[in-house]
DNA sequence: TTCGTCATGTAATGGGTTACATGATTAC
DNA sequence: GTAATCATGTAACCCATTACATGACGAA
Protein backbone atom coordinates (compact mmCIF):
# COMPACT_ATOMS: atom_id res chain seq x y z
CA UNK A 1 0.00 0.00 0.00
CA UNK A 2 2.68 2.43 1.05
CA UNK A 3 4.98 1.12 -1.67
CA UNK A 4 2.40 1.81 -4.34
CA UNK A 5 1.88 5.33 -3.05
CA UNK A 6 5.61 5.97 -3.08
CA UNK A 7 6.05 4.56 -6.57
CA UNK A 8 3.21 6.77 -7.74
CA UNK A 9 4.80 9.91 -6.41
CA UNK A 10 8.24 9.00 -7.75
CA UNK A 11 6.63 8.25 -11.11
CA UNK A 12 5.98 11.95 -11.29
CA UNK A 13 9.53 13.00 -10.47
CA UNK A 14 12.47 12.07 -8.23
CA UNK A 15 12.17 13.18 -4.63
CA UNK A 16 13.82 12.82 -1.26
CA UNK A 17 12.21 11.16 1.73
CA UNK A 18 11.14 14.22 3.61
CA UNK A 19 9.29 15.68 0.66
CA UNK A 20 7.78 12.30 -0.14
CA UNK A 21 6.32 12.15 3.32
CA UNK A 22 4.58 15.49 2.96
CA UNK A 23 3.12 14.61 -0.41
CA UNK A 24 1.99 11.23 0.83
CA UNK A 25 -0.85 12.36 3.10
CA UNK A 26 -3.34 13.39 0.39
CA UNK A 27 -2.62 10.17 -1.51
CA UNK A 28 -3.35 8.00 1.50
CA UNK A 29 -6.88 9.36 1.66
CA UNK A 30 -7.12 9.92 5.39
CA UNK A 31 -5.32 13.01 6.62
CA UNK A 32 -2.69 11.20 8.59
CA UNK A 33 0.99 11.42 7.72
CA UNK A 34 3.09 8.30 7.41
CA UNK A 35 5.89 7.89 9.93
CA UNK A 36 9.58 7.83 9.02
CA UNK A 37 9.78 4.46 10.64
CA UNK A 38 7.61 3.20 7.79
CA UNK A 39 8.88 5.40 5.04
CA UNK A 40 12.60 4.75 5.05
CA UNK A 41 12.49 0.97 5.46
CA UNK A 42 9.94 0.91 2.68
CA UNK A 43 12.20 2.94 0.40
CA UNK A 44 15.06 0.59 1.15
CA UNK A 45 12.97 -2.45 0.27
CA UNK A 46 11.89 -0.81 -2.98
CA UNK A 47 15.57 -0.23 -3.77
CA UNK A 48 16.38 -3.85 -2.98
CA UNK A 49 13.69 -4.98 -5.38
CA UNK A 50 15.27 -2.82 -8.07
CA UNK A 51 12.37 -0.42 -8.49
CA UNK A 52 13.99 2.61 -7.00
CA UNK A 53 17.46 4.04 -7.45
CA UNK A 54 19.03 5.69 -4.42
CA UNK A 55 21.06 8.78 -5.14
CA UNK A 56 23.07 9.83 -2.11
CA UNK A 57 24.06 13.09 -3.81
CA UNK A 58 27.70 12.98 -2.70
CA UNK A 59 29.11 15.83 -0.65
CA UNK A 60 28.33 18.96 -2.62
CA UNK A 61 31.36 21.24 -2.89
CA UNK A 62 31.98 22.65 0.56
CA UNK A 63 29.67 20.25 2.38
CA UNK A 64 31.18 17.70 4.69
CA UNK A 65 28.38 15.18 4.48
CA UNK A 66 25.31 14.37 2.46
CA UNK A 67 22.09 15.79 3.78
CA UNK A 68 19.58 14.68 1.26
CA UNK A 69 19.09 11.37 -0.43
CA UNK A 70 17.16 11.47 -3.65
CA UNK A 71 15.04 8.53 -4.70
CA UNK A 72 14.28 7.92 -8.33
CA UNK A 73 12.15 5.38 -10.17
CA UNK A 74 14.05 2.88 -12.32
CA UNK A 75 12.53 1.77 -15.65
CA UNK A 76 11.64 -1.53 -13.95
CA UNK A 77 9.95 0.42 -11.17
CA UNK A 78 7.95 2.49 -13.62
CA UNK A 79 6.91 -0.67 -15.41
CA UNK A 80 5.91 -2.36 -12.16
CA UNK A 81 3.88 0.64 -11.08
CA UNK A 82 1.86 0.72 -14.31
CA UNK A 83 1.19 -2.97 -14.10
CA UNK A 84 0.20 -2.96 -10.44
CA UNK A 85 -2.21 -0.15 -11.11
CA UNK A 86 -3.64 -1.41 -14.38
CA UNK A 87 -4.03 -5.02 -13.36
CA UNK A 88 -5.31 -4.05 -9.92
CA UNK A 89 -7.02 -7.04 -8.29
CA UNK A 90 -9.41 -7.51 -5.36
CA UNK A 91 -7.26 -5.83 -2.76
CA UNK A 92 -7.61 -2.56 -4.66
CA UNK A 93 -11.20 -2.54 -3.42
CA UNK A 94 -10.22 -2.61 0.25
CA UNK A 95 -10.26 0.42 2.52
CA UNK A 96 -6.60 1.19 2.88
CA UNK A 97 -5.56 0.43 -0.65
CA UNK A 98 -8.42 1.93 -2.57
CA UNK A 99 -7.49 5.53 -1.81
CA UNK A 100 -4.02 4.96 -3.22
CA UNK A 101 -5.31 3.37 -6.40
CA UNK A 102 -7.82 6.17 -6.70
CA UNK A 103 -5.22 8.90 -6.43
CA UNK A 104 -3.41 7.56 -9.48
CA UNK A 105 -6.45 6.80 -11.61
CA UNK A 106 -5.39 9.48 -14.09
CA UNK A 107 -2.36 7.44 -15.13
CA UNK A 108 -4.26 4.41 -16.30
CA UNK A 109 -6.50 3.62 -19.31
CA UNK A 110 -10.20 4.29 -18.84
CA UNK A 111 -11.00 0.60 -18.92
CA UNK A 112 -8.83 -0.07 -15.85
CA UNK A 113 -10.22 3.03 -14.22
CA UNK A 114 -13.74 1.70 -14.53
CA UNK A 115 -12.71 -1.71 -13.27
CA UNK A 116 -11.25 -0.21 -10.09
CA UNK A 117 -14.19 2.10 -9.40
CA UNK A 118 -16.74 -0.64 -10.05
CA UNK A 119 -14.79 -3.15 -7.99
CA UNK A 120 -14.80 -0.82 -5.04
CA UNK A 121 -18.49 -0.16 -5.44
CA UNK A 122 -19.26 -3.88 -5.54
CA UNK A 123 -17.20 -4.39 -2.40
CA UNK A 124 -19.13 -1.70 -0.56
CA UNK A 125 -22.44 -3.11 -1.71
CA UNK A 126 -21.52 -6.50 -0.35
CA UNK A 127 -20.85 -4.90 3.00
CA UNK A 128 -24.14 -3.08 2.90
CA UNK A 129 -25.97 -6.31 2.23
CA UNK A 130 -24.25 -7.97 5.15
CA UNK A 131 -24.87 -5.01 7.43
CA UNK A 132 -28.56 -4.81 6.53
CA UNK A 133 -29.12 -8.50 7.18
CA UNK A 134 -30.61 -8.67 10.68
CA UNK A 135 -29.28 -12.24 11.08
CA UNK A 136 -25.77 -10.84 10.94
CA UNK A 137 -25.93 -8.90 14.21
CA UNK A 138 -28.05 -10.63 16.82
CA UNK A 139 -28.75 -9.22 20.28
CA UNK A 140 -30.66 -6.18 21.34
CA UNK A 141 -30.10 -2.79 19.84
CA UNK A 142 -28.59 -0.45 22.38
CA UNK A 143 -29.23 3.17 21.35
CA UNK A 144 -25.58 3.94 20.73
CA UNK A 145 -24.75 0.74 18.94
CA UNK A 146 -27.76 1.29 16.72
CA UNK A 147 -26.75 4.89 16.05
CA UNK A 148 -23.22 3.80 15.17
CA UNK A 149 -24.56 1.21 12.80
CA UNK A 150 -26.90 3.72 11.19
CA UNK A 151 -24.12 6.22 10.65
CA UNK A 152 -21.78 3.62 9.20
CA UNK A 153 -24.52 2.53 6.80
CA UNK A 154 -25.18 6.07 5.68
CA UNK A 155 -21.52 6.83 5.13
CA UNK A 156 -21.12 3.74 3.04
CA UNK A 157 -24.23 4.50 1.01
CA UNK A 158 -22.84 7.95 0.41
CA UNK A 159 -19.57 6.55 -0.87
CA UNK A 160 -21.50 4.27 -3.22
CA UNK A 161 -23.36 7.24 -4.68
CA UNK A 162 -20.10 9.11 -5.06
CA UNK A 163 -18.58 6.20 -6.98
CA UNK A 164 -21.67 5.90 -9.14
CA UNK A 165 -21.34 9.53 -10.14
CA UNK A 166 -17.71 9.06 -11.09
CA UNK A 167 -18.40 5.85 -13.00
CA UNK A 168 -21.16 7.46 -15.01
CA UNK A 169 -18.88 10.40 -15.74
CA UNK A 170 -16.26 8.00 -17.05
CA UNK A 171 -18.71 6.21 -19.27
CA UNK A 172 -20.10 9.22 -21.08
CA UNK A 173 -16.93 11.27 -21.47
CA UNK A 174 -14.38 9.97 -23.93
CA UNK A 175 -11.23 9.41 -21.91
CA UNK A 176 -11.99 12.30 -19.60
CA UNK A 177 -9.10 12.50 -17.16
CA UNK B 1 -9.01 -1.66 21.03
CA UNK B 2 -10.13 -5.24 20.55
CA UNK B 3 -9.76 -5.85 24.29
CA UNK B 4 -12.06 -2.97 25.13
CA UNK B 5 -14.68 -4.24 22.69
CA UNK B 6 -14.51 -7.71 24.18
CA UNK B 7 -14.74 -6.43 27.74
CA UNK B 8 -17.76 -4.39 26.72
CA UNK B 9 -19.59 -7.37 25.30
CA UNK B 10 -18.71 -9.57 28.25
CA UNK B 11 -19.88 -6.80 30.57
CA UNK B 12 -23.33 -7.54 29.22
CA UNK B 13 -23.15 -11.28 29.80
CA UNK B 14 -20.73 -14.25 29.57
CA UNK B 15 -20.17 -15.56 26.07
CA UNK B 16 -18.02 -17.99 24.14
CA UNK B 17 -15.55 -16.94 21.47
CA UNK B 18 -17.59 -17.75 18.43
CA UNK B 19 -20.56 -15.70 19.58
CA UNK B 20 -18.27 -12.89 20.65
CA UNK B 21 -16.89 -12.71 17.15
CA UNK B 22 -20.32 -12.30 15.61
CA UNK B 23 -21.36 -9.59 18.04
CA UNK B 24 -18.07 -7.78 17.59
CA UNK B 25 -18.59 -6.46 14.06
CA UNK B 26 -21.18 -3.77 14.84
CA UNK B 27 -19.11 -2.61 17.80
CA UNK B 28 -16.00 -2.16 15.68
CA UNK B 29 -17.83 0.37 13.52
CA UNK B 30 -16.67 -0.87 10.14
CA UNK B 31 -18.47 -3.94 8.87
CA UNK B 32 -15.49 -6.23 9.04
CA UNK B 33 -15.36 -9.23 11.36
CA UNK B 34 -12.39 -9.84 13.56
CA UNK B 35 -10.32 -12.95 12.85
CA UNK B 36 -9.92 -15.83 15.27
CA UNK B 37 -6.21 -15.31 15.10
CA UNK B 38 -6.81 -12.02 16.91
CA UNK B 39 -9.72 -13.02 19.05
CA UNK B 40 -8.41 -16.03 20.95
CA UNK B 41 -4.95 -14.69 21.77
CA UNK B 42 -6.64 -11.52 22.97
CA UNK B 43 -8.99 -13.48 25.22
CA UNK B 44 -6.04 -15.35 26.64
CA UNK B 45 -4.18 -12.15 27.43
CA UNK B 46 -7.28 -10.73 29.12
CA UNK B 47 -7.43 -13.87 31.24
CA UNK B 48 -3.76 -13.53 32.15
CA UNK B 49 -4.37 -9.97 33.29
CA UNK B 50 -7.15 -11.25 35.54
CA UNK B 51 -10.01 -9.47 33.80
CA UNK B 52 -11.66 -12.50 32.31
CA UNK B 53 -12.41 -15.90 33.79
CA UNK B 54 -12.19 -18.86 31.44
CA UNK B 55 -14.79 -21.53 31.95
CA UNK B 56 -13.95 -24.64 30.00
CA UNK B 57 -17.36 -26.14 30.80
CA UNK B 58 -16.07 -29.64 31.60
CA UNK B 59 -17.37 -32.59 29.59
CA UNK B 60 -21.14 -32.35 29.80
CA UNK B 61 -22.67 -35.72 30.72
CA UNK B 62 -22.21 -37.94 27.70
CA UNK B 63 -19.73 -35.66 25.93
CA UNK B 64 -16.18 -36.84 25.53
CA UNK B 65 -14.62 -33.40 25.24
CA UNK B 66 -15.44 -29.74 25.77
CA UNK B 67 -16.73 -27.94 22.74
CA UNK B 68 -17.36 -24.51 24.05
CA UNK B 69 -15.33 -22.32 26.30
CA UNK B 70 -17.24 -19.61 28.08
CA UNK B 71 -15.57 -16.33 28.94
CA UNK B 72 -16.83 -14.25 31.81
CA UNK B 73 -15.85 -10.85 33.22
CA UNK B 74 -14.27 -10.87 36.68
CA UNK B 75 -15.08 -8.04 39.11
CA UNK B 76 -11.63 -6.62 38.37
CA UNK B 77 -12.43 -6.80 34.66
CA UNK B 78 -15.71 -5.00 35.12
CA UNK B 79 -13.98 -2.35 37.16
CA UNK B 80 -11.24 -1.93 34.57
CA UNK B 81 -13.77 -1.61 31.76
CA UNK B 82 -15.72 1.18 33.52
CA UNK B 83 -12.53 3.06 34.24
CA UNK B 84 -11.09 2.70 30.75
CA UNK B 85 -14.33 3.99 29.30
CA UNK B 86 -15.00 6.77 31.80
CA UNK B 87 -11.46 8.10 31.95
CA UNK B 88 -11.01 7.72 28.21
CA UNK B 89 -8.03 9.77 27.06
CA UNK B 90 -6.79 11.08 23.71
CA UNK B 91 -6.66 7.74 21.95
CA UNK B 92 -10.42 7.47 22.31
CA UNK B 93 -10.58 10.19 19.65
CA UNK B 94 -8.68 8.15 17.08
CA UNK B 95 -10.32 6.34 14.18
CA UNK B 96 -10.14 2.73 15.26
CA UNK B 97 -10.83 3.27 18.92
CA UNK B 98 -13.56 5.84 18.73
CA UNK B 99 -16.17 3.46 17.36
CA UNK B 100 -15.61 1.10 20.28
CA UNK B 101 -15.91 3.84 22.86
CA UNK B 102 -18.98 5.11 21.07
CA UNK B 103 -20.73 1.77 21.13
CA UNK B 104 -20.55 1.67 24.91
CA UNK B 105 -21.45 5.29 25.55
CA UNK B 106 -24.68 4.18 27.21
CA UNK B 107 -22.77 2.66 30.12
CA UNK B 108 -21.04 5.80 31.22
CA UNK B 109 -22.16 9.03 32.96
CA UNK B 110 -23.26 11.84 30.68
CA UNK B 111 -20.25 13.91 31.60
CA UNK B 112 -17.85 11.27 30.24
CA UNK B 113 -20.09 10.81 27.24
CA UNK B 114 -19.76 14.47 26.35
CA UNK B 115 -16.02 14.41 26.88
CA UNK B 116 -15.62 11.56 24.41
CA UNK B 117 -17.91 13.03 21.77
CA UNK B 118 -16.33 16.46 22.05
CA UNK B 119 -12.82 15.04 22.04
CA UNK B 120 -13.53 13.23 18.81
CA UNK B 121 -15.00 16.33 17.26
CA UNK B 122 -11.98 18.40 18.25
CA UNK B 123 -9.72 15.77 16.71
CA UNK B 124 -11.61 15.86 13.42
CA UNK B 125 -11.57 19.63 13.35
CA UNK B 126 -7.82 19.64 13.74
CA UNK B 127 -7.59 17.38 10.73
CA UNK B 128 -9.87 19.60 8.73
CA UNK B 129 -7.72 22.62 9.53
CA UNK B 130 -4.62 20.76 8.41
CA UNK B 131 -6.31 19.47 5.28
CA UNK B 132 -7.62 22.90 4.30
CA UNK B 133 -4.23 24.53 4.73
CA UNK B 134 -2.77 24.75 1.20
CA UNK B 135 0.77 24.74 2.64
CA UNK B 136 0.20 21.22 3.89
CA UNK B 137 -0.05 19.60 0.47
CA UNK B 138 2.17 21.25 -2.10
CA UNK B 139 2.38 20.20 -5.72
CA UNK B 140 -0.18 20.42 -8.46
CA UNK B 141 -3.71 19.16 -8.13
CA UNK B 142 -4.28 16.14 -10.32
CA UNK B 143 -8.03 15.69 -10.94
CA UNK B 144 -8.25 12.44 -9.02
CA UNK B 145 -6.11 13.49 -6.12
CA UNK B 146 -8.18 16.63 -5.81
CA UNK B 147 -11.41 14.65 -5.98
CA UNK B 148 -10.16 12.26 -3.30
CA UNK B 149 -9.24 15.16 -1.10
CA UNK B 150 -12.60 16.79 -1.62
CA UNK B 151 -14.49 13.64 -0.75
CA UNK B 152 -12.40 13.03 2.38
CA UNK B 153 -13.06 16.59 3.49
CA UNK B 154 -16.78 16.23 2.96
CA UNK B 155 -16.96 12.95 4.83
CA UNK B 156 -15.13 14.41 7.76
CA UNK B 157 -17.32 17.50 7.80
CA UNK B 158 -20.32 15.22 7.80
CA UNK B 159 -19.03 13.31 10.79
CA UNK B 160 -18.47 16.58 12.62
CA UNK B 161 -22.08 17.59 12.01
CA UNK B 162 -23.24 14.19 13.21
CA UNK B 163 -21.27 14.56 16.43
CA UNK B 164 -22.57 18.07 16.93
CA UNK B 165 -26.13 16.78 16.73
CA UNK B 166 -25.42 14.11 19.30
CA UNK B 167 -23.61 16.51 21.61
CA UNK B 168 -26.47 18.98 21.50
CA UNK B 169 -28.91 16.17 22.18
CA UNK B 170 -26.89 15.18 25.23
CA UNK B 171 -26.80 18.71 26.54
CA UNK B 172 -30.52 19.44 26.43
CA UNK B 173 -31.90 16.06 27.50
CA UNK B 174 -31.33 15.11 31.11
CA UNK B 175 -29.32 11.90 31.04
CA UNK B 176 -30.93 10.75 27.81
CA UNK B 177 -29.47 7.35 27.06
C1' DT C 1 -22.61 -40.49 5.52
C1' DT C 2 -21.67 -36.40 4.17
C1' DC C 3 -22.22 -31.50 4.27
C1' DG C 4 -22.68 -27.13 6.52
C1' DT C 5 -21.85 -24.54 10.36
C1' DC C 6 -20.47 -24.37 14.99
C1' DA C 7 -16.28 -24.08 17.61
C1' DT C 8 -11.26 -23.46 19.24
C1' DG C 9 -6.97 -22.65 18.60
C1' DT C 10 -1.52 -21.99 16.78
C1' DA C 11 2.40 -20.26 13.74
C1' DA C 12 4.13 -17.31 10.62
C1' DT C 13 3.86 -12.97 8.82
C1' DG C 14 2.68 -8.19 7.63
C1' DG C 15 2.51 -3.52 7.82
C1' DG C 16 2.42 -0.24 10.31
C1' DT C 17 3.66 2.75 14.96
C1' DT C 18 6.49 5.14 18.74
C1' DA C 19 10.60 6.40 20.71
C1' DC C 20 15.11 7.19 20.03
C1' DA C 21 19.47 9.09 17.98
C1' DT C 22 21.76 12.27 14.98
C1' DG C 23 22.98 16.08 12.31
C1' DA C 24 22.48 20.13 8.59
C1' DT C 25 20.38 24.51 7.22
C1' DT C 26 17.93 28.72 7.69
C1' DA C 27 15.99 32.76 9.83
C1' DC C 28 16.01 35.76 13.58
C1' DG D 1 24.04 31.92 19.10
C1' DT D 2 19.90 29.69 19.20
C1' DA D 3 15.55 28.02 17.78
C1' DA D 4 12.77 26.06 14.18
C1' DT D 5 12.49 23.06 10.71
C1' DC D 6 14.67 20.24 7.35
C1' DA D 7 16.49 15.66 6.92
C1' DT D 8 17.71 10.56 7.67
C1' DG D 9 17.59 6.67 9.84
C1' DT D 10 17.26 2.35 13.56
C1' DA D 11 15.16 -0.74 17.21
C1' DA D 12 11.54 -2.33 19.65
C1' DC D 13 7.04 -3.21 19.56
C1' DC D 14 1.87 -3.64 18.56
C1' DC D 15 -1.97 -5.29 16.78
C1' DA D 16 -3.83 -7.24 13.51
C1' DT D 17 -4.01 -10.72 9.46
C1' DT D 18 -3.78 -15.31 6.73
C1' DA D 19 -3.14 -20.03 6.52
C1' DC D 20 -3.28 -24.00 8.86
C1' DA D 21 -4.96 -27.79 11.92
C1' DT D 22 -8.53 -29.95 14.48
C1' DG D 23 -12.81 -31.56 15.85
C1' DA D 24 -18.13 -31.65 17.45
C1' DC D 25 -22.98 -31.41 16.15
C1' DG D 26 -27.20 -31.39 13.44
C1' DA D 27 -29.80 -32.08 9.37
C1' DA D 28 -30.56 -34.14 4.71
Amino acid sequence: MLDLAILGLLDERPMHGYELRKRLSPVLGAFRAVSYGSLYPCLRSLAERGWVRVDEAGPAPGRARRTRVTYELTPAGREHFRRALTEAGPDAWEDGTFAVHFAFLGRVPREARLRILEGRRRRLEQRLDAARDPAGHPGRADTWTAELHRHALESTEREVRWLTGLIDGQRVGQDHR
Side-chain angles (χ1 to χ4, degrees), chain A residues 1-2 4 13 20 35 42 49 52-53 55 57 68 70-71 73-74 83 92 97 100 109 117 124 151 155 163-164 169:
Chain A
M1 199 199 91
L2 184 53
L4 190 62
R13 63 179 168 76
L20 222 26
S35 69
C42 187
R49 282 178 281 174
V52 158
R53 202 171 68 78
D55 182 2
R68 291 173 166 207
T70 303
Y71 299 90
L73 225 52
T74 63
R83 257 183 197 284
T97 333
V100 178
L117 292 169
L124 292 179
H151 182 252
S155 301
L163 290 170
T164 299

Side-chain angles (χ1 to χ4, degrees), chain A residues 21-89:
Chain A
R21 183 177 114 116
K22 279 190 304 189
R23 312 255 331 239
L24 232 25
S25 338
V27 170
L28 297 175
F31 300 125
R32 69 205 169 77
V34 75
S35 69
Y36 294 121
S38 301
L39 180 61
Y40 289 111
C42 187
L43 280 166
R44 202 205 305 152
S45 107
L46 289 171
E48 275 160 15
R49 282 178 281 174
W51 293 333
V52 158
R53 202 171 68 78
V54 180
D55 182 2
E56 302 224 5
R63 266 105 180 229
R65 289 258 279 270
R66 66 101 184 78
T67 312
R68 291 173 166 207
V69 178
T70 303
Y71 299 90
E72 185 176 355
L73 225 52
T74 63
R78 211 170 290 277
E79 164 78 11
H80 170 75
F81 171 66
R82 292 293 153 165
R83 257 183 197 284
L85 211 58
T86 309
E87 295 165 13

